[in-house]
Structures are given as structure tokens and as C-alpha cells.
Amino acid sequence: MLRAAVYPLVAVVVLALAFLFVGPKHALGALVSGLAVVAGTALAAWVGLGGGVQAAGSAMVRLFLGFVLKIVLIVAVLGMAFFWWRLPPLALLAAIPVALMFQVLALARR
């Protein structure tokens, strides 16, 4: 699971550096939303996979709960970044698919 967090983190940092050419608020927006995805992934992994060996029903509940917590965390950070901190929406929304794409690529790689 560490690889699923490191690869998206590197991709988000590279995206934030690219947005730095547009402006510092854009770079901060990409970094904030990308870090929210990485933190949400780590939280989902901790909740979903941290229970040890369990029955199938309780394991599925833990995985679903981890996914829901990940989505809630991402939406909460996006809301705060957009409404309170007034970060640009393009940068906020651009980092999410980049982080998720690199997360999938990291998990698919052997």
C-alpha cells in the first residue's frame, strides 16, 4: 500500500510544479487536493485492511467504510479549499484524476 501512496504523491507534486507556472494559488490548489486523495487512500487502506483476518461480511463493511471515509475526506478538503481558501477550481479538480490514475497504475504494477 505504500507504493499506492508514493506514486500519486510524486505525480501530484509534479503537477503542482507545473501549475506553479500559472500561479502560486494554482500550485497550492493542486497540491491540496492531491494530498487529500493520497491521505484518503491511506485512511481507506488503514480502515479497510487494518482489521486482520475477519469474516467476509465484516471485511466488506470495513472496505466500504474505508471508501466512504476517503470520499468524505476528499469532498471536505475540496469544499474548504474552494469556499474558505478561494483556491482555483481548475487546479483543485485537476489533481484528483492525476492522483487516482497514478494510484491505479501503482497497484497494477508488479
Side-chain angles (χ1 to χ4, degrees):
M1 272 323 285
L2 181 64
R3 184 175 57 203
V6 171
Y7 285 12
L9 184 61
V10 170
V12 165
V13 168
V14 169
L15 181 68
L17 289 174
F19 268 115
L20 197 56
F21 290 114
V22 178
K25 288 186 86 169
H26 285 79
L28 182 63
L31 195 60
V32 164
S33 62
L35 288 177
V37 173
V38 171
T41 301
L43 177 66
W46 181 66
V47 169
L49 303 174
V53 178
Q54 296 180 353
S58 58
M60 286 299 295
V61 168
R62 289 180 67 89
L63 287 172
F64 182 72
L65 179 64
F67 175 74
V68 168
L69 288 175
K70 175 180 179 175
I71 298 300
V72 167
L73 177 70
I74 293 170
V75 169
V77 169
L78 280 178
M80 288 188 306
F82 184 71
F83 291 111
W84 286 352
W85 302 327
R86 304 282 186 211
L87 295 176
L90 174 67
L92 287 172
L93 295 177
I96 294 173
V98 169
L100 291 176
M101 179 181 63
F102 275 89
Q103 175 188 341
V104 170
L105 289 174
L107 291 174
R109 185 172 176 258
R110 290 192 176 222

